[in-house]
Amino acid sequence: MASCPVIRSMKILSIETSCDETAIAVVECLGGRMTPSFAVRAHVVATQIATHRPFGGVVPSLAKREHLLNLPLAYAEVLEQLKAAGCEAKFDRVAVTVGPGLEPALWTGINFAKELGEKLGVSVMGANHLEGHMYSNWLDTEAAKKIKFPAVVLLVSGGHTALAVMDGIQKWRKLGETHDDAAGEAFDKVAKMLGLPYPGGPEVEKLAREGSPDAIVFPRPMLHSGDFNFSFSGLKTSVLYHMKAHPDASVPDVCASFQKAAIDVLVTKTMRAAQDCGAQSVLVCGGVASNAALSAELKRRAEDAGMVFAAPAAQYNGDNAVMIAAASYLGTAHPVETALPNLNI
Ligand code: KG4
Ligand code: ZN
């Protein structure tokens, strides 16, 4: 896989439109790959949650329409933020998410980035969305200094659920991923069944605090599969069957029991991967990393095993453009012309 060495400081204008957030940021990236640090000069996230809420999930054609509307507005707001901060609107590079993600949504960002690159006379580099989530663990310089390699990374979001191992800042490989639903998607679908609003993860977590995690024994799919892949669709279906058989079931109990089953699988497989890889650190990232029960359990298990645990600041768990600047600076940067949407790296 082609990569270009990055050692110099750079002011990066970054764009993220892979799913349902239109995000643009300006980040000063310093220190190269050895001692990276990031100063956020501007950051806008225009969320489409209200648009997709009636459908209980992200509708790709609506996401595309919203990105097209929001991109120029978000860019204007970024310029305002730069002006207010007395920061020049001059950039060394435009970085844009090229995948994985929803293809119609990705193209809106890629085309906008290309137009901007041409207008500003700077190169446009494609960035990997998964690397963005991974490198969000490097946005806090002090926390990042404590991360030791090998590091096992659990990436859990609405679109992705994967385990990866990093042997160095740029040297990573996927260990496994979900065969069907992503963990966040399972939270969203269970929430929908229970009549809770989208996105369901935070709603399920809130109700789970009032319920008993041992009230219902839901299956732990692929817990003993012997690999590092996941499957959440069966777990979601078990919740559906339980609700059909017990229409009066306590919703907090269902939430707590479902959440416990999902966390059990995520944490057990992550720790198994960490032991297998001789990991010194365990990292979590993505929207579901905001789940306090998940991160507390992962932290406890990692620290019990003598490993460093790290998680990004809450504001960088969900999709954002700051992480895309970090991915472009630290990760595999592809000239956008050669980076296809949905690039599976
Ligand atoms: O990373 P993200 O913003 O978008 C994707 O790349 O998919 O993740 C959004 C996902 C949604 O499925 C949402 O329900 C889930 O993250 N999520 C949570 C929590 N907060 C967000 N899932 C469980 N517990 C939470 N507290
Ligand atoms: Zn994401």
Side-chain angles (χ1 to χ4, degrees):
M1 188 186 328
S3 70
C4 56
V6 179
I7 40 163
R8 65 187 180 101
S9 304
M10 277 192 179
K11 193 151 111 194
I12 299 181
L13 173 74
S14 51
I15 299 169
E16 155 64 38
T17 62
S18 70
C19 191
D20 61 344
E21 318 283 3
T22 315
I24 307 186
V26 174
V27 184
E28 270 185 61
C29 309
L30 313 163
R33 290 199 178 99
M34 299 302 283
T35 53
S37 71
F38 300 94
V40 181
R41 301 298 179 213
H43 187 205
V44 173
V45 182
T47 183
Q48 304 177 3
I49 283 177
T51 305
H52 301 288
R53 183 166 280 156
F55 305 95
V58 180
V59 182
S61 57
L62 291 182
K64 175 185 170 177
R65 187 194 72 185
E66 292 294 300
H67 287 311
L68 288 172
L69 287 171
N70 288 334
L71 277 163
L73 303 176
Y75 183 58
E77 203 176 324
V78 158
L79 293 181
E80 282 299 314
Q81 288 185 12
L82 290 179
K83 201 166 152 198
C87 189
E88 245 190 311
K90 271 193 159 177
F91 316 107
D92 298 298
R93 165 190 292 183
V94 174
V96 62
T97 305
V98 290
L102 303 172
E103 191 161 330
L106 286 163
W107 275 118
T108 64
I110 294 169
N111 290 333
F112 191 78
K114 279 177 158 176
E115 275 171 33
L116 266 186
E118 219 158 276
K119 196 167 124 196
L120 301 169
V122 291
S123 62
V124 182
M125 304 299 279
N128 178 346
H129 185 79
L130 302 186
E131 287 192 347
H133 279 300
M134 270 197 299
Y135 292 123
S136 57
N137 272 296
W138 272 261
L139 294 174
D140 176 338
T141 310
E142 289 314 306
K145 279 183 192 161
K146 297 188 187 126
I147 298 171
K148 293 188 210 137
F149 299 111
V152 159
V153 189
L154 172 66
L155 193 164
V156 264
S157 72
H160 311 281
T161 293
L163 274 168
V165 59
M166 301 176 81
D167 290 313
I169 190 82
Q170 207 201 8
K171 207 169 158 222
W172 68 273
R173 68 193 157 85
K174 222 186 254 180
L175 296 170
E177 62 195 327
T178 182
H179 283 321
D180 40 59
D181 291 349
E185 197 178 352
F187 271 87
D188 294 338
K189 287 178 175 170
V190 165
K192 194 175 172 186
M193 286 172 207
L194 299 173
L196 303 170
Y198 173 84
E203 304 292 327
V204 170
E205 181 179 21
K206 216 185 299 163
L207 283 168
R209 281 191 219 115
E210 296 157 26
S212 161
D214 302 314
I216 308 147
V217 181
F218 287 124
R220 270 70 171 154
M222 295 185 73
L223 190 62
H224 303 293
S225 60
D227 57 21
F228 299 118
N229 294 320
F230 299 95
S231 165
F232 289 102
S233 131
L235 172 57
K236 168 201 72 187
T237 308
S238 298
V239 176
L240 180 68
Y241 288 159
H242 185 86
M243 293 309 295
K244 279 193 174 155
H246 309 275
D248 298 328
S250 143
V251 171
D253 281 354
V254 173
C255 289
S257 303
F258 158 75
Q259 180 174 277
K260 188 179 179 191
I263 291 177
D264 231 14
V265 178
L266 290 169
V267 172
T268 304
K269 296 199 98 158
T270 304
M271 290 312 298
R272 221 176 266 158
Q275 300 290 2
D276 251 44
C277 297
Q280 298 208 59
S281 313
V282 172
L283 316 181
V284 65
C285 55
V288 186
S290 295
N291 186 291
L294 169 64
S295 59
E297 183 60 8
L298 205 50
K299 180 175 172 15
R300 187 183 70 76
R301 293 274 300 274
E303 291 180 350
D304 279 357
M307 298 168 192
V308 173
F309 172 78
Q315 60 175 323
Y316 298 126
N317 282 335
D319 289 346
N320 65 86
V322 176
M323 71 181 198
I324 297 307
S328 179
Y329 191 59
L330 298 176
T332 36
H334 305 257
V336 79
E337 291 75 18
T338 61
L340 300 168
N342 278 316
L343 186 76
N344 196 15
I345 27 183

